Amino acid sequence: MRNFSSLLLALWLTIGAAQAQIPQNPAPAAPDTTKKYVDPVNEPVAKQPWYKSKLFKATIVPALLIGYGASTINGNGIYSSYDARRDIRRAFPNFHTKVDDYLIFAPYAELALVQIAGVEGRNDRLNTLLVILKSEAIFGLTTFAVKNTTKVLRPDGSTRNSFPSGHTAQAFLAASIVHTEFRDKSQWYGIGAYTIATGVGALRMLNNRHWQSDVVAGAGVGILSAHIGYLTHRNRWGRKPLPGKYGVMPLLYPGATGLTVVWRPQ
C-alpha cells in the first residue's frame, strides 16, 4: 500500500511538472506609444502622376484648342483659316443672322431653368454665382488683352480685333459651368450646353465675323476661364446660405445682352 501511494505521488508530480512546461497564452504586448503624438496629417502621401492632377485635367483640352487655333491664323497650319473661310463662303455665300448675339447666354438660361426645376448642382447658388463672376472676369481680361495684342483683321475687314472670338469664348464658358455643375446628375445637361456653344462658333464663321482660328481658340479660352474659376474657388460661402432667394438669368433686349443677378430677401 505504501508502495502504491508512493507511485501515485510520483505520477502526480510528473504530470504537474509536464503541465508547468506547456506554454500558456502569452500576455498581450504592451501598446507601442512611440508614435502617440505623431500628427497623421504630416505622414507622407503617395503623389499622383502629373497627368492625373486636377491642373492637367483642367488645362489639357483648352490648351489644345488654343494651340490649334493659334497655329491656323491666316494661311498657316493644317486646314488654315483661309481654307475654312473659302469653303464656308462657297457653301453659304449670303448667310446672315443675329441669332448668335443672343445664343451666347443660352447655357446660362439652361442653368437657371434646371435649378428652378429643383435639380441641385455641384455647388449652392451663391457659390455658383461667385464662380461665374470670377470666370467672367478672367475671360474678359484675357480676351481683351489677346485681341489688342494680336490685332488680327476680321474676315469682313471691319476691325482688327478678331482673335479670339469673344462670342464663342462666352458661350463655351457658360457651357462649361453648366457641365461642371450638373455632370453628376446627367451628362445631357453639358451636352446640350456645349451643342449651343458650338452653334455660336459656327454662326460666327457663317456670318463672316470670325475666322476658324478665332472660334477654336475662343472655345479654349472660355473653357479655361471656367476651369480656373473652379480651381481657384476655395472659400465655400454656401455653408450658411444667404437669406432669401437669388439667381442668375440672361438679359436680352434689342442691341445688347448681359446677365441679371436677382436677390429676393425674405
Side-chain angles (χ1 to χ4, degrees):
M1 190 68 173
R2 181 179 300 175
N3 292 335
F4 182 71
S5 299
S6 299
L7 179 61
L8 286 177
L9 178 60
L11 181 61
W12 182 79
L13 292 175
T14 302
I15 294 173
Q19 289 180 341
Q21 294 177 0
I22 297 176
Q24 303 298 319
N25 293 332
D32 183 7
T33 59
T34 57
K35 297 183 178 181
K36 182 177 180 180
Y37 300 103
V38 173
D39 185 0
V41 177
N42 294 329
E43 291 184 357
V45 179
K47 290 185 177 180
Q48 288 187 335
W50 59 271
Y51 54 86
K52 290 186 177 181
S53 66
K54 290 183 178 180
L55 181 61
F56 178 80
K57 291 180 179 180
T59 57
I60 181 60
V61 172
L64 291 173
L65 291 173
I66 296 172
Y68 176 75
S71 70
T72 59
I73 291 178
N74 298 331
N76 301 312
I78 301 174
Y79 195 63
S80 70
S81 293
Y82 289 170
D83 295 333
R85 182 178 181 273
R86 181 193 63 239
D87 294 340
I88 291 172
R89 302 315 295 171
R90 183 183 300 164
F92 305 93
N94 300 312
F95 185 90
H96 180 71
T97 182
K98 291 186 177 180
V99 174
D100 46 332
D101 290 333
Y102 302 98
L103 278 182
I104 57 176
F105 290 115
Y108 280 145
E110 178 187 351
L111 174 67
L113 291 173
V114 172
Q115 289 186 336
I116 290 173
V119 180
E120 295 295 332
R122 171 182 173 181
N123 295 294
D124 60 87
R125 294 184 182 181
L126 177 58
N127 277 288
T128 302
L129 174 60
L130 293 174
V131 171
I132 289 174
L133 294 177
K134 187 187 302 182
S135 302
E136 289 286 345
I138 296 170
F139 144 73
L141 291 173
T142 302
T143 304
F144 177 81
V146 176
K147 279 179 175 291
N148 287 275
T149 300
T150 56
K151 297 184 183 298
V152 176
L153 183 67
R154 289 182 183 269
D156 61 2
S158 58
T159 57
R160 284 191 172 274
N161 60 348
S162 188
F163 183 87
S165 169
H167 279 63
T168 308
Q170 174 63 76
F172 272 89
L173 186 161
S176 186
I177 295 289
V178 172
H179 172 67
T180 303
E181 287 297 321
F182 300 114
R183 64 187 176 192
D184 294 333
K185 302 296 182 180
S186 174
Q187 292 290 338
W188 286 106
Y189 296 119
I191 292 173
Y194 279 124
T195 300
I196 295 172
T198 303
V200 171
L203 289 175
R204 296 307 284 169
M205 291 189 292
L206 289 171
N207 278 327
N208 203 31
R209 291 290 290 164
H210 277 290
W211 304 99
Q212 169 193 265
S213 58
D214 310 336
V215 168
V216 176
V221 170
I223 296 172
L224 183 62
S225 299
H227 287 180
I228 293 176
Y230 277 105
L231 284 175
T232 57
H233 189 59
R234 293 290 180 265
N235 188 11
R236 303 293 177 181
W237 289 11
R239 298 179 187 278
K240 285 188 176 182
L242 289 177
K245 296 182 179 180
Y246 40 87
V248 181
M249 291 290 291
L251 176 64
L252 305 174
Y253 58 90
T257 56
L259 286 177
T260 301
V261 180
V262 179
W263 176 52
R264 297 184 179 90
Q266 291 180 343

